[in-house]
Amino acid sequence: RFMAPKTSRNIRSLPTDRTVDFPESDGKPMAETDFHRTPMMDLIAILEHRYQARSDVYVSGNMFLHDNPAKPRKKPIAPDVFVVFGVEKKKRRSYRLWEEGKGPDFVLEIASQKTFRKDLGEKKDWYASVFGVKEYYLFDPDRRYLPSPLMGYRLREGSYTPISPVEGRLSSEVLGLELALEGEELKLYDPQKKEWVLKPEEEAEAKAQRALAKAEREAFARQQAEAKAQQAETKAQQ
């Protein structure tokens, strides 16, 4: 098994055969059902929006990860959601360890009947030993295949240790957020602001509502001020 080099310098020094064909798609749909696709797309959108101002944070999902510059895997692994800190924010066709210098810091897989065994076994081992993924999370929207609907692991000395929930939420040191289930939905919670992280469209709607409420308050204040001024003028005339 190819082991990830200890330093990014070593990774970047690996020779690259540009004639090697690294697959970018397996021709399969990105998710089995709406229940699997929706949380994946929502989480990617939320994280992209959260880090939109940072040029050194890359958010993606359903993209092949390649670790060997000489020989691609027959069945590359494509995380449903992943975040990498310290790399350039740019468009990619696949994520290549030897070019980027490091693996993802955060990975989340949406488990299903077809994938949960690999999510708990092969993928989990591969993320830890090859890519050095700092935090690995699994979400089971069907509530049937994982021991718990939401599970998390943190890399410690080369192996994963379970993340224990606090008040029903799993803390992510990498993101500075907490993952939790709110009803049937997988959501992110900001412990600093003590509030749920909204989807971009929800945040835009909330911002518009706040702006409307502010405008209504200001209009009411002007009406009150005008009414008082009119009363004062009437009294003065009397």
Side-chain angles (χ1 to χ4, degrees):
R1 172 179 287 184
F2 173 80
M3 298 300 291
K6 293 183 179 180
T7 66
S8 59
R9 181 179 179 183
N10 289 335
I11 294 174
R12 293 184 185 278
S13 67
L14 287 172
T16 302
D17 183 354
R18 296 187 179 276
T19 64
V20 176
D21 182 21
F22 292 94
E24 299 169 358
S25 173
D26 56 7
K28 298 179 181 179
M30 72 170 73
E32 295 180 26
T33 69
D34 288 342
F35 299 102
H36 297 80
R37 182 176 63 254
T38 298
M40 177 177 69
M41 299 301 293
D42 285 347
L43 196 58
I44 291 175
I46 290 172
L47 293 172
E48 282 184 332
H49 184 68
R50 182 175 179 82
Y51 298 112
Q52 62 181 334
R54 291 187 56 174
S55 61
D56 65 337
V57 181
Y58 178 61
V59 179
S60 189
N62 196 44
M63 174 182 285
F64 282 154
L65 305 184
H66 296 292
D67 62 290
N68 191 331
K71 184 179 180 181
R73 293 174 180 266
K74 292 182 179 180
K75 295 182 179 180
I77 293 179
D80 289 327
V81 181
F82 67 92
V83 182
V84 195
F85 291 85
V87 300
E88 182 182 358
K89 186 197 300 288
K90 64 179 182 179
K91 300 292 184 181
R92 293 167 170 82
R93 305 189 72 87
S94 63
Y95 192 92
R96 305 180 183 186
L97 178 63
W98 61 93
E99 293 179 355
E100 305 293 348
K102 61 171 296 186
D105 296 287
F106 171 97
V107 165
L108 182 137
E109 294 283 7
I110 312 295
S112 68
Q113 184 179 10
K114 292 182 179 179
T115 68
F116 79 95
R117 292 182 179 86
K118 285 188 176 181
D119 293 338
L120 286 171
E122 178 184 346
K123 283 186 178 181
K124 181 182 173 186
D125 295 338
W126 193 71
Y127 287 143
S129 63
V130 177
F131 266 74
V133 176
K134 295 178 182 178
E135 292 181 345
Y136 177 44
Y137 293 85
L138 301 98
F139 170 52
D140 178 7
D142 294 320
R143 272 73 169 174
R144 290 195 294 175
Y145 306 112
L146 298 181
S148 175
L150 180 61
M151 303 173 65
Y153 298 90
R154 187 168 291 121
L155 196 62
R156 291 285 187 264
E157 298 181 355
S159 60
Y160 282 129
T161 58
I163 300 174
S164 299
V166 177
E167 296 182 358
R169 300 191 290 266
L170 299 180
S171 176
S172 170
E173 295 178 354
V174 170
L175 302 179
L177 300 172
E178 296 174 351
L179 290 80
L181 299 180
E182 184 76 0
E184 299 294 316
E185 190 175 0
L186 172 63
K187 301 189 70 173
L188 295 175
Y189 182 81
D190 189 331
Q192 297 296 324
K193 296 182 179 181
K194 299 186 184 304
E195 63 184 21
W196 295 105
V197 181
L198 300 177
K199 302 172 189 177
E201 63 272 18
E202 292 174 335
E203 185 173 323
E205 182 179 354
K207 185 177 181 180
Q209 290 178 347
R210 289 195 296 269
L212 178 61
K214 181 181 179 181
E216 290 175 345
R217 290 195 301 270
E218 291 175 347
F220 180 74
R222 287 195 299 271
Q223 291 174 355
Q224 292 290 93
E226 291 171 358
K228 288 183 179 180
Q230 183 63 41
Q231 291 174 356
E233 182 179 354
T234 301
K235 184 177 181 180
Q237 291 175 352
Q238 291 175 347

